[in-house]
Amino acid sequence: MSKVVTLQKALKLAAAPLALGILSACGGGGGGGVGIADGGIRGTGSSVGPVSGFGSVFVNGVKFETDGQVVSDDGIEREDQLKEGMILRIDGEWRDDGRGDAESVEYDDTFRGPVSGLDASAVESVTFTIYGQTVVADKQTVLNGATLQSLANGQFVRVSAWRQPDGTYRASFIGVIPADQIPTGEDKVEIEGRIDQDSLDRENRAFTINGQKVTYSDLSFGEGLEEDDLADLLLVEVEGEEQPDGTLVAAELAEGDIRRYRRGSGDDIEFAGPVGEGYNAANRTFRINGLQVTIDNNTEFDDGLVATDLQAGLLIQVEGEFQANGSVLAEEIEARDGNASVEGVIDVNTLNPSDQTFRVGGVMVQVTPLTTITDDETDQRLKLADLNGNYQLEVEGIEKQLSSGLVVLEAIKVERNEEDTTPVTEREFELEGMLTEIQGTVFTVLGVPVQTTIDTDFGDHSRDEIIEAHESDQPVILEVEYNELKPGVYTAESIDWENDD
């Protein structure tokens, strides 16, 4: 699978300059809270998105205080059982100070079952199936008990994911369930998908989802669902048990995860997910998670986005208000897909809790309430302070230029790996970002000036081709492998032009 973030890579950096000083520390979770003056209620309604941190629960950049209870039929009853990356629906209210109060917290697995058909041929993602449904995991996916490299066929997993326009699912969270904890009984497995056309067999009470046979009974239907609904090729959730012949016997049928986004008691909603139907300029709408979203002249776009960028598959976050016709009028839209990254040993001397920043290979990384900090080797809930060591980090995020001219990588996900005591002169780094400046033999990418030499490998493109493209104002995305000869002095081992992705 090609990278999901190619559209975002072409966005201009300077469209929405920031001031680094607006961010300040906030206890718990993925990092800082937005340091805005305390305000009144900003929204009362539903917030749907992946958990980015705890204390109590961070969702969509808001720290929601909860009573510790979770509504779920998947064995998760308490807040302390939740994991980063799990997609929640929170009903409550949130304020301009980045805090909120949850009236209810709901979680539901998208899939639960064994991994099969694993395809790890792509560089930055893996694809597998669960009972015929295709799941894609990428570098923004939070994995618990596995990595993108170690995920294996036969592992029993729970998956929290978004349905994509092509019917596949993009995983926000994948957790491996140990063999001695795999659930048993009539609701052991769970899948979601659209009922195949012409597959509904009322006489034998069966249908298929992407070829997977499902049988049901009168007792299978959940609240608000009837057999007639199945004839409409419903996007359906099945909890059941696999039979020896591979058939799934449904203990419960419910509408799929589109129900997360239904209007609640309040008119406001903020949610994250991939665009379904792309932007229609004629009526200024697009669809996401089953909702029609409308923009107007007051809609605020962040991260360099413009309306025409809202094409199928792009992961975004929307804040808006339900209208009388059931659509959502968007007040703010921002990107949730990464367009840049860096890998290497953290410079622990640059760890700044007050600004929620640090550097890796010279790249300034900014942590926000949307940042997820994870370590696949531990269940510990990590904070910025837990990076205080010589850890190898992988950071995925959005490249931004501050009002001061400083370029930062606003982190979506920080993955902490093993500690590394390699001497500075032997450390290797890798970054991917936009080429912003060339001075002689020095290329500046993600704010880091990297010296090129006659030994630098330019892959399939020459140095001159890259320079020509940059001078013609064509956005040039580079993947750079480099080392630090001495503090602050970097030399490129290889440079690949990523625009072909």
Side-chain angles (χ1 to χ4, degrees):
M1 177 181 174
S2 62
K3 294 180 184 177
V4 180
V5 297
T6 52
L7 177 63
Q8 273 296 94
K9 288 181 176 178
L11 299 179
K12 299 296 184 182
L13 289 177
L18 306 175
L20 188 61
I22 69 170
L23 297 172
S24 61
C26 176
V34 180
I36 305 172
D38 288 348
I41 297 300
R42 177 165 60 98
T44 300
S46 304
S47 184
V48 184
V51 177
S52 60
F54 295 96
S56 291
V57 177
F58 283 82
V59 172
N60 294 330
V62 175
K63 179 185 178 182
F64 285 97
E65 298 296 338
T66 77
D67 64 4
Q69 303 301 307
V70 177
V71 179
S72 173
D73 61 359
D74 296 328
I76 294 176
E77 300 174 345
R78 305 182 312 278
E79 181 268 328
D80 61 9
Q81 294 175 291
L82 295 172
K83 306 290 185 184
E84 290 91 345
M86 287 182 168
I87 302 170
L88 303 183
R89 174 183 170 119
I90 294 179
D91 284 295
E93 58 186 30
W94 53 95
R95 299 178 289 278
D96 279 335
D97 63 359
R99 294 171 173 83
D101 297 302
E103 295 176 1
S104 66
V105 177
E106 298 179 30
Y107 172 75
D108 187 29
D109 289 333
T110 311
F111 298 100
R112 196 168 55 251
V115 172
S116 63
L118 186 71
D119 180 359
S121 60
V123 176
E124 295 185 346
S125 66
V126 297
T127 302
F128 60 93
T129 60
I130 295 181
Y131 295 108
Q133 290 296 82
T134 300
V135 180
V136 180
D138 58 30
K139 295 180 75 173
Q140 285 187 211
T141 304
V142 177
L143 287 98
N144 186 258
T147 65
L148 285 178
Q149 295 74 34
S150 67
L151 194 66
N153 287 324
Q155 289 178 315
F156 197 96
V157 297
R158 68 165 77 239
V159 178
S160 187
W162 293 286
R163 182 179 171 84
Q164 302 191 107
D166 62 359
T168 64
Y169 285 80
R170 178 175 177 176
S172 177
F173 168 83
I174 298 174
V176 177
I177 300 178
D180 61 350
Q181 297 178 27
I182 294 176
T184 59
E186 62 178 12
D187 58 355
K188 173 180 178 179
V189 301
E190 182 169 346
I191 66 168
E192 180 184 310
R194 193 168 298 283
I195 295 174
D196 296 333
Q197 188 169 7
D198 299 324
S199 72
L200 180 61
D201 181 352
R202 290 175 180 264
E203 182 178 354
N204 294 302
R205 317 208 80 181
F207 57 83
T208 63
I209 297 176
N210 205 23
Q212 171 62 51
K213 184 177 180 180
V214 177
T215 62
Y216 61 90
S217 70
D218 288 338
L219 299 177
S220 302
F221 293 96
E223 183 178 355
L225 193 66
E226 299 177 353
E227 188 174 25
D228 286 344
D229 297 321
L230 304 181
D232 296 327
L233 305 180
L234 185 70
L235 184 64
V236 66
E237 172 190 282
V238 180
E239 287 194 83
E241 187 174 16
E242 182 182 8
Q243 300 302 297
D245 66 355
T247 299
L248 293 185
V249 178
E252 182 177 356
L253 295 176
E255 193 173 8
D257 282 347
I258 190 173
R259 65 184 187 277
R260 294 171 177 156
Y261 306 95
R262 291 283 160 74
R263 187 177 196 155
S265 58
D267 288 337
D268 294 303
I269 185 169
E270 52 181 10
F271 59 92
V275 174
E277 297 177 17
Y279 179 68
N280 183 325
N283 55 22
R284 306 186 77 181
T285 64
F286 63 96
R287 297 189 72 85
I288 182 169
N289 301 321
L291 287 176
Q292 178 174 295
V293 181
T294 303
I295 69 170
D296 63 12
N297 293 337
N298 295 318
T299 301
E300 178 183 346
F301 287 88
D302 294 339
D303 307 318
L305 286 172
V306 294
T308 53
D309 292 323
L310 301 173
Q311 299 303 312
L314 182 68
L315 187 64
I316 61 173
Q317 180 173 316
V318 177
E319 181 177 347
E321 185 174 291
F322 277 104
Q323 305 299 292
N325 64 359
S327 68
V328 172
L329 178 61
E331 298 171 359
E332 183 176 358
I333 301 174
E334 60 183 297
R336 289 290 292 265
D337 251 334
N339 65 356
S341 63
V342 65
E343 299 180 19
V345 179
I346 184 174
D347 182 349
V348 69
N349 296 318
T350 65
L351 193 64
N352 187 330
S354 61
D355 283 341
Q356 299 280 284
T357 59
F358 59 87
R359 288 185 183 268
V360 174
V363 176
M364 174 70 80
V365 178
Q366 174 72 68
V367 174
T368 80
L370 290 170
T371 304
T372 301
I373 302 177
T374 69
D375 186 329
D376 57 77
E377 296 296 329
T378 177
D379 285 338
Q380 178 186 356
R381 293 177 171 181
L382 302 181
K383 301 179 182 180
L384 182 63
D386 296 308
L387 304 182
N388 189 13
N390 294 311
Y391 289 106
Q392 284 274 354
L393 301 183
E394 297 180 29
V395 183
E396 294 288 317
I398 298 173
E399 183 174 354
K400 293 189 175 182
Q401 183 174 345
L402 308 184
S403 56
S404 64
L406 179 68
V407 174
V408 301
L409 178 59
E410 187 175 280
I412 296 172
K413 178 187 174 188
V414 178
E415 183 173 323
R416 187 185 76 174
N417 297 316
E418 71 277 1
E419 287 203 64
D420 191 328
T421 57
T422 304
V424 170
T425 55
E426 297 178 18
R427 288 179 175 172
E428 297 180 347
F429 302 91
E430 182 176 324
L431 63 77
E432 185 172 331
M434 185 175 289
L435 174 63
T436 54
E437 185 178 10
I438 299 176
Q439 288 191 344
T441 57
V442 177
F443 286 29
T444 298
V445 184
L446 261 181
V448 180
V450 182
Q451 176 72 53
T452 64
T453 71
I454 58 173
D455 295 323
T456 300
D457 180 2
F458 279 87
D460 295 331
H461 297 85
S462 69
R463 181 199 306 264
D464 290 342
E465 286 178 303
I466 295 174
I467 293 174
E468 182 180 353
H470 176 68
E471 291 179 345
S472 67
D473 291 330
Q474 176 181 346
V476 176
I477 307 301
L478 298 181
E479 182 179 287
V480 184
E481 294 182 4
Y482 61 108
N483 54 38
E484 189 174 15
L485 295 180
K486 59 182 180 179
V489 179
Y490 303 99
T491 300
E493 296 291 328
S494 67
I495 294 179
D496 288 326
W497 189 2
E498 292 295 293
N499 287 43
D500 290 342
D501 289 337

